[in-house]
Amino acid sequence: MYDFAYRKPASVADAVKLLATEPEAKAIAGGQTFIPVLKQRLNKPSSVVDLAGLGLSGISVSGNALTIGAMTTHAAVARSAEVKKAIPGLAMLASWIGDNQVRHRGTIGGSLANNDPSACYPAAVLALGAVVKTNKRAIKADDFFQGMFTTALEADEIITAVEFPLPVETSAYEKFRQPASRYAMVGVFVAKGPAGVRVAVTGAGQNGVFRVPEMEAALAKSWSPDAIAAIKVSPEGLNSDIHGSAVYRAHLITVVARRAVAAAA
Amino acid sequence: MAFEGIGASVKRREDGRFLAGRGHYVDDMNRPGQLYAVIRRSDRPHARLRGIDTAAAMAAPGVVAVYTGADIAADGLGGIPCGWQIHNKDGSPMAEPMHPVLAIGKVRHVGDPIAVVIAETKAQAKDAAELLAIDFEDLPGVADLRAAAAGGAPLVHDDVAGNVCYDWHIGDKDAVDAAFARAKHVAKLDLVNNRLIPNAMEPRAALGECDVAGNYTLSTTSQNPHVIRLLMGAFVLHIPEHKLRVIAPDVGGGFGSKIYHYAEEAIVTWAAGKLRRPVKWTAERSESFMSDAHGRDHVSHAEMAVDESGRFLALRVSTLANMGAYLSTFAPSVPTYLYATLLAGVYKTPAIYAEVKAIFTNTVPVDAYRGAGRPEAAFLLERLVDAVAHDTGIDRIALRRANFIPADAYPYQTPVALQYDSGNHEVTLAEALKTADYAGFPARRAEAARRGKLRGIGISTYLEACGIAPSQVAGALGARAGLYEVANIRVHPTGSVTVFTGTHSHGQGHETTMAQLVADQLGLPLDQIEIVHGDTGQIPFGMGTYGSRSLAVGGSAMVKAMDKIIAKGKRIAAHLMEAAVEDIEFKDGAFRVAGTDKSKALAEISLAAYIPHNYPIEELEPGLEETAFYDPKNFTYPGGCHVCEVEIDPETGVTKVVNFVAVDDVGRVINPMIVEGQVQGGVAQGIGQALLEGAAYDANGQLLSGSFMDYTMPRADNLPNITVGTEITLCTHNPLGSKGCGEVGAIGSPPAVINAVVDALKEYGVRHLDMPATAEKIWSIIQANRPKMAAE
């Protein structure tokens, strides 16, 4: 990696100030994507602003929302009794991210801010109609994801928490893993909750996570795997690489979605 | 004391330090004043080097030197030599283009080293390497074998017409043609043996040093330090061997990829001499992907002629083998003498003809990788036998049995040069089928079908040649090196023993297995024996570890050296006990006078040998240390039967290996637990090749699978519990009877896996599919054949 200054602010306000004043500064959450990127010299930040120690981790249920602090690790989400009770699909998703080491370092906020098109969390956040809370505002999931590695976040904005509306009647996540990286080649989160019936797909789309309205409509009528078995997703706009063509990914979306519904039933 | 000798599953003595993180690897070595080398590599598959501007890099902080191919040439260094020469059909030698240490004029593959930056810190060297301004003129490249062999392809080397390194053949073409003319059936198959990237756990590293007297030391991640000293000293750097020491300390896996002499070894050694400071280079993982020699990469057409009863009459094979951009150390031998000579397999096919064209491409050099040639032969043959079964309707097991070389036909001369010494294929087949409950498979298939899964079972009955190799035979086949092995056994005055072996352990557990062998023969406890390997400064010239040779050849050298120790000990004992030498017998660590209760322990004899006060000094030299060089009379021929059972999810095409049985005949076993571990690891790599792994290049030569994000290594959850069994026929020509176990797993398993996949897909009309059998490939086959099934 290239040399950079390491900064550890004491408050969200200080962190934002550092990021706002230094155009080449980058925030680091769990670093499970960013550190490999640095090691490969694919990024040359002037400073790395560490978001640990800002009090941004923790899980709480109050009223009609499950709130997960941005710096909460995947492992903490996976083993949380509150998450398992309120949104079992979310706990399941977190327990499948990366490997044990990654799950103990990687965070929900880091994953969302990076918006890797193969990341798992965006599928849950979109399917559950969550709200991404930042130091400045609350952003609806529908507005947050704006394409591959692109989000609604501004330069001086960091995620502080993610709020999932409750009650979620049912939810599940299934993924077909890219065999080498084990990232989602096709990951589908299905949910029935305050945001309605939603089906969100990660890993497959060139522009990151997306919803499948035909499947949502079918499931709204009849929540069963058979309801979507015949729905074909167009390969248009899907990724194609040495691990799977767009046509194969399109096929997998239906298979994986059906299995997710079966798991949620 | 628990039994620790031959046949005991002693826990590996070396694992304590490895598991505790106390292994001592090249990158753990740091010397005062050490500099760091970073190689700037080509990111282009094929380009002319119009110029390299080093000024900015030289001026960067901490930089001590920047060298390019021109500097290497100016010092009169040689190119990287090739250790094996193949001759063409017409008798002319193979094309052997210059393999420069640093690129001169052109780069020929992604990863080709262009320049080295040497600086006070690694970060400084990396920073400066980015400042090298390289003026490339991109040229069209070619990565695919068939494309490179076709007329009009870009030339990797301007002076190698058609990119053909050699066009070689073996066998009796006329006899084969005649047999095909009278055959009842001819089964034909086109096969690809997929290109693999080795990925040893420890990346390569090299540390060069030169002292004030001009004595050089290279510490390197090598499977064979003497070979590196010879190749690098004699051919590249022109350093005489007494001034060059090569050390290969703990090495974290090789699988063949650390046999070869690599440019970085020469660079750090040469630079250490120029700068008079230690210079260290350690590969980053992405460098390993583009600079460690790759494996396999064959395209073949095979035909088997069969009579009406299913007897094999003749085999005809035509193979293209990818050499990559340059000839790696032993590359030419792999698709010839380690491949085509194995095409008889376990079958008494009377006539075989094979022709092999080796082709240069704009890819990383290809060389031996676990199995080396033999997996390619076993895959071709065992797939072809299943194709014969498919085409003729003869049961695949009955077909194999009908064509096996019977146990009483050994020694057996094949039509492709080799003479097998021993084997019993019926026994390994029967044991494997029993262990795998082959008879119960139809019920399991039906049960899987009820769950919507396609279940298949496949077998391979393979044979390989290892224990490499008789030097004269290897020499006659083109080797430019001997292939004997050496052991020096030093019995110390108080009776403990140090064994110096020319083999090298990089995961195989030699420190345990070899100590068990010596403990058994000398009647000593294991803790009285130390195995030393990997240092040309301590060990006589040995050839190293590859081709499953360490025990069969290196262990045999130890037996020979121990024979000398015991013979000398008897003479000392006879003197001390005032008996005739013929009356002394050695057993359980003691020399006894036969028929009496007089005896002397080995320690008493060794003490007398080093303190020769009462000693037959007139007729016997003092000391108790012996060296033996052992050159085997033949290869060894392990073989066996692998049975694989798979389940395919037809919705996704994902294949799960649900059962795997390997019954291998590896000859005498010293440590059954270590043998089982070797087989398990080999099978894991074989399943990896069959289902997951495959180096991907674009047509031009850009490496697409350049990291673990895209190159699919097998992981624990890709593998079933592997049941390993051994059946033993002894090697008849070495004193141990051992054959070798390091490669059998990787050789026998890929065809068993693919045969199982094909079996699972048989209702879809599948007769063959190439490796890796990825999910999408299988799903596509199922999609393409669905209408046909529906119509039926």
Side-chain angles (χ1 to χ4, degrees):
Chain A
M1 54 181 77
Y2 295 108
D3 275 351
F4 53 78
Y6 172 78
R7 302 189 192 279
K8 191 157 190 196
S11 69
V12 172
D14 286 351
V16 169
K17 204 157 99 188
L18 283 168
L19 291 168
T21 51
E22 243 185 81
E24 298 302 318
K26 291 271 185 205
I28 187 168
Q32 296 308 287
T33 300
F34 192 45
I35 288 174
V37 163
L38 290 175
K39 285 169 78 174
Q40 291 178 77
R41 295 188 158 212
L42 297 174
N43 202 304
K44 195 174 182 177
S46 54
S47 296
V48 168
V49 180
D50 193 344
L51 304 183
L54 304 183
L56 295 181
S57 65
I59 297 168
S60 64
V61 177
S62 65
N64 289 328
L66 167 76
T67 303
I68 301 178
M71 291 295 285
T72 308
T73 63
H74 312 323
V77 173
R79 68 169 175 257
S80 159
E82 288 105 320
V83 177
K84 283 184 195 166
K85 184 159 172 265
I87 316 176
L90 188 60
M92 186 197 294
L93 175 147
S95 74
W96 278 3
I97 298 173
D99 54 28
N100 211 24
Q101 288 85 345
V102 166
R103 289 194 291 274
H104 277 83
R105 296 293 306 172
T107 66
I108 186 169
S111 173
L112 294 176
N114 189 47
N115 194 20
D116 187 310
S118 306
C120 295
Y121 264 128
V125 167
L126 187 59
L128 293 163
V131 175
V132 178
K133 299 209 152 170
T134 76
N135 55 307
K136 292 164 76 167
R137 57 188 168 141
I139 309 171
K140 286 200 281 189
D142 301 285
D143 304 325
F144 182 81
F145 302 105
Q146 302 194 343
M148 191 192 289
F149 298 109
T150 311
T151 68
L153 291 173
E154 289 162 8
D156 60 346
E157 192 169 23
I158 58 176
I159 300 173
T160 54
V162 186
E163 202 177 87
F164 295 89
L166 297 179
V168 172
E169 196 180 314
T170 184
S171 67
Y173 182 66
E174 273 286 339
K175 77 173 155 180
F176 187 94
R177 292 185 287 192
Q178 196 258 51
S181 70
R182 300 288 179 99
Y183 276 70
M185 195 154 108
V186 171
V188 180
F189 200 101
V190 295
K192 190 197 271 189
V197 171
R198 287 194 176 195
V199 176
V201 179
T202 189
Q206 286 170 3
N207 290 316
V209 66
F210 64 90
R211 289 167 58 187
V212 187
E214 303 91 317
M215 288 189 181
E216 293 178 354
L219 289 171
K221 270 191 224 151
S222 161
W223 181 269
S224 77
D226 289 345
I228 55 172
I231 295 176
K232 291 200 187 310
V233 175
S234 165
E236 191 103 348
L238 299 187
N239 285 318
S240 187
D241 57 28
I242 59 174
H243 303 289
S245 64
V247 170
Y248 183 52
R249 279 181 162 88
H251 164 77
L252 286 176
I253 289 171
T254 304
V255 173
V256 174
R258 227 183 55 226
R259 290 178 183 181
V261 173
Chain B
M1 188 181 75
F3 176 60
E4 297 175 330
I6 292 176
S9 283
V10 176
K11 282 189 184 168
R12 296 182 4 146
R13 304 201 297 171
E14 45 271 77
D15 283 353
R17 71 176 191 274
F18 294 149
L19 293 172
R22 297 214 167 89
H24 190 59
Y25 299 90
V26 173
D27 194 50
D28 294 325
M29 299 178 167
N30 290 298
R31 306 290 190 228
Q34 175 178 295
L35 297 168
Y36 294 82
V38 165
I39 311 282
R40 175 72 182 267
R41 297 178 186 279
S42 176
D43 56 358
R44 324 290 173 102
H46 198 193
R48 210 171 298 288
L49 288 171
R50 280 195 295 226
I52 305 171
D53 185 347
T54 62
M58 268 309 298
V63 172
V64 175
V66 178
Y67 300 119
T68 67
D71 299 301
I72 301 264
D75 260 21
L77 272 53
I80 295 173
C82 180
W84 203 292
Q85 186 180 48
I86 295 296
H87 286 80
N88 293 308
K89 286 173 180 168
D90 66 7
S92 60
M94 68 185 188
E96 200 171 347
M98 170 77 168
H99 182 179
V101 173
L102 291 169
I104 294 173
K106 254 169 72 157
V107 289
R108 294 181 175 85
H109 68 88
V110 169
D112 206 356
I114 297 170
V116 58
V117 176
I118 297 169
E120 299 287 347
T121 71
K122 185 161 186 175
Q124 288 171 331
K126 287 193 77 160
D127 287 346
E130 290 181 2
L131 300 175
L132 288 166
I134 301 170
D135 185 7
F136 291 103
E137 177 194 340
D138 283 318
L139 299 169
V142 63
D144 179 74
L145 253 180
R146 278 168 288 206
L155 290 184
V156 179
H157 298 274
D158 296 344
D159 53 351
V160 178
N163 293 316
V164 178
C165 174
Y166 56 75
D167 182 5
W168 173 92
H169 66 161
I170 190 170
D172 187 337
K173 185 171 188 300
D174 294 340
V176 167
D177 288 347
F180 270 85
R182 64 171 198 274
K184 170 85 172 162
H185 305 283
V186 173
K188 300 181 180 182
L189 203 57
D190 289 297
L191 312 96
V192 173
N193 204 286
N194 45 329
R195 184 186 186 103
L196 303 178
I197 301 178
N199 288 312
M201 195 182 289
E202 179 205 18
R204 289 189 297 114
L207 168 62
E209 298 170 75
C210 181
D211 71 13
V212 287
N215 295 303
Y216 288 84
T217 302
L218 167 68
S219 300
T220 182
T221 48
S222 177
Q223 302 178 210
N224 32 243
H226 281 96
V227 176
I228 302 305
R229 187 182 66 170
L230 175 63
L231 292 174
M232 184 178 82
F235 297 97
V236 186
L237 300 184
H238 312 308
I239 300 170
E241 286 173 283
H242 69 291
K243 304 291 274 183
L244 175 59
R245 177 179 177 187
V246 177
I247 298 170
D250 284 334
V251 172
F255 312 109
S257 72
K258 291 171 182 168
I259 297 171
Y260 323 116
H261 175 41
Y262 286 98
E264 297 84 1
E265 295 170 323
I267 290 168
V268 298
T269 309
W270 171 70
K274 283 183 90 72
L275 302 170
R276 295 291 157 146
R277 288 176 69 177
V279 178
K280 183 160 89 176
W281 168 81
T282 305
E284 299 191 348
R285 183 59 67 179
S286 48
E287 281 187 285
S288 303
F289 273 90
M290 61 173 92
S291 71
D292 293 4
H294 293 180
R296 317 278 192 260
D297 206 345
H298 283 195
V299 173
S300 295
H301 176 76
E303 301 182 351
M304 185 75 90
V306 183
D307 74 8
E308 56 287 343
S309 63
R311 285 215 175 72
F312 302 160
L313 299 175
L315 171 64
R316 185 150 60 198
V317 174
S318 176
T319 292
L320 293 175
N322 202 336
M323 294 285 102
Y326 304 101
L327 290 178
S328 175
T329 309
F330 291 114
S333 69
V334 178
T336 50
Y337 295 105
L338 296 176
Y339 164 69
T341 54
L342 270 302
L343 288 170
V346 295
Y347 309 110
K348 50 190 184 192
T349 315
I352 298 175
Y353 177 72
E355 48 191 351
V356 178
K357 256 190 201 178
I359 302 293
F360 289 110
T361 60
N362 293 110
T363 63
V364 174
V366 179
D367 207 326
Y369 169 70
R370 200 172 194 170
R374 290 149 289 160
E376 295 90 316
F379 183 70
L380 178 143
L381 199 53
E382 290 304 294
R383 281 297 310 125
L384 186 59
V385 170
D386 263 28
V388 170
H390 174 273
D391 295 357
T392 60
I394 300 172
D395 173 73
R396 54 191 165 164
I397 290 170
L399 181 67
R400 283 175 166 85
R401 284 191 162 126
N403 286 284
F404 274 165
I405 300 161
D408 61 10
Y410 283 93
Y412 178 81
Q413 177 63 52
T414 75
V416 273
L418 299 177
Q419 189 188 69
Y420 304 158
D421 64 336
S422 67
N424 190 330
H425 313 303
E426 183 54 50
V427 166
T428 46
L429 171 66
E431 181 62 25
L433 293 179
K434 194 175 100 195
T435 307
D437 185 22
Y438 189 84
F441 176 73
R444 297 194 294 279
R445 184 181 192 121
E447 186 277 329
R450 287 196 288 277
R451 287 183 282 112
K453 299 287 196 289
L454 306 170
R455 194 153 171 138
I457 194 165
I459 70 164
S460 81
T461 50
Y462 76 95
L463 175 145
E464 62 130 334
C466 65
I468 290 172
S471 295
Q472 282 191 4
V473 174
L477 303 181
R480 288 163 167 163
L483 282 164
Y484 61 84
E485 199 41 78
V486 66
N488 171 270
I489 298 198
R490 184 177 295 167
V491 183
H492 300 291
T494 57
S496 67
V497 173
T498 303
V499 180
F500 299 88
T501 172
T503 66
H504 185 274
S505 187
H506 30 278
Q508 294 88 342
H510 292 176
E511 290 169 43
T512 305
T513 301
M514 289 175 168
Q516 284 181 258
L517 168 61
V518 174
D520 193 281
Q521 304 282 293
L522 294 184
L524 293 173
L526 219 50
D527 64 8
Q528 291 295 297
I529 299 157
E530 192 69 18
I531 305 294
V532 176
H533 59 88
D535 181 356
T536 65
Q538 295 189 68
I539 299 156
F541 195 115
M543 293 306 297
T545 287
Y546 38 82
S548 307
R549 68 192 303 274
S550 297
L551 184 62
V553 191
S556 293
M558 286 176 198
V559 171
K560 298 279 187 188
M562 284 188 283
D563 287 348
K564 293 186 190 179
I565 294 277
I566 292 165
K568 184 171 180 179
K570 283 182 177 174
R571 294 177 69 183
I572 300 169
H575 174 88
L576 292 177
M577 296 189 282
E578 296 175 336
V581 174
E582 306 77 60
D583 292 337
I584 305 293
E585 51 192 36
F586 180 71
K587 195 162 176 275
D588 299 333
F591 294 89
R592 294 169 212 280
V593 181
T596 75
D597 60 357
K598 286 205 277 189
S599 85
K600 293 272 181 197
L602 178 64
E604 294 175 87
I605 299 301
S606 58
L607 197 64
Y610 289 99
I611 308 173
H613 297 166
N614 176 17
Y615 193 82
I617 201 77
E618 294 297 325
E619 54 190 77
L620 213 53
E621 293 172 13
L624 197 55
E625 173 171 345
E626 296 289 349
T627 299
F629 287 80
Y630 172 75
D631 205 315
K633 290 189 184 70
N634 193 351
F635 295 89
T636 59
Y637 300 96
C641 178
H642 289 190
V643 183
C644 178
E645 204 162 321
V646 300
E647 257 185 34
I648 294 173
D649 176 354
E651 281 193 329
T652 60
V654 170
T655 300
K656 189 173 163 60
V657 179
V658 291
N659 193 25
F660 199 99
V661 172
V663 177
D664 302 294
D665 175 2
V666 298
R668 169 122 43 230
V669 170
I670 306 287
N671 184 318
M673 184 175 66
I674 288 178
V675 168
E676 180 168 353
Q678 285 284 313
V679 174
Q680 296 247 1
V683 169
Q685 284 176 305
I687 291 173
Q689 169 165 27
L691 297 179
L692 304 165
E693 297 184 51
Y697 279 95
D698 74 7
N700 205 39
Q702 190 56 245
L703 181 61
L704 303 176
S705 57
S707 79
F708 290 130
M709 294 294 278
D710 284 307
Y711 186 84
T712 312
M713 292 295 281
R715 303 195 194 191
D717 65 357
N718 294 123
L719 303 169
N721 282 323
I722 299 162
T723 307
V724 176
T726 46
E727 290 289 332
I728 289 174
T729 64
L730 295 179
C731 168
T732 60
H733 58 80
N734 71 37
L736 275 169
S738 296
K739 297 184 177 183
C741 67
E743 296 163 293
V744 292
I747 294 167
S749 57
V753 177
I754 297 298
N755 286 347
V757 171
V758 170
D759 184 54
L761 296 173
K762 65 182 175 187
E763 284 159 22
Y764 293 86
V766 174
R767 181 173 172 269
H768 174 71
L769 83 170
D770 283 318
M771 302 184 289
T774 59
E776 183 176 17
K777 195 183 280 182
I778 289 174
W779 176 76
S780 300
I781 288 169
I782 290 172
Q783 293 309 302
N785 292 289
R786 256 189 210 294
K788 194 196 297 176
M789 290 200 60
E792 284 162 7

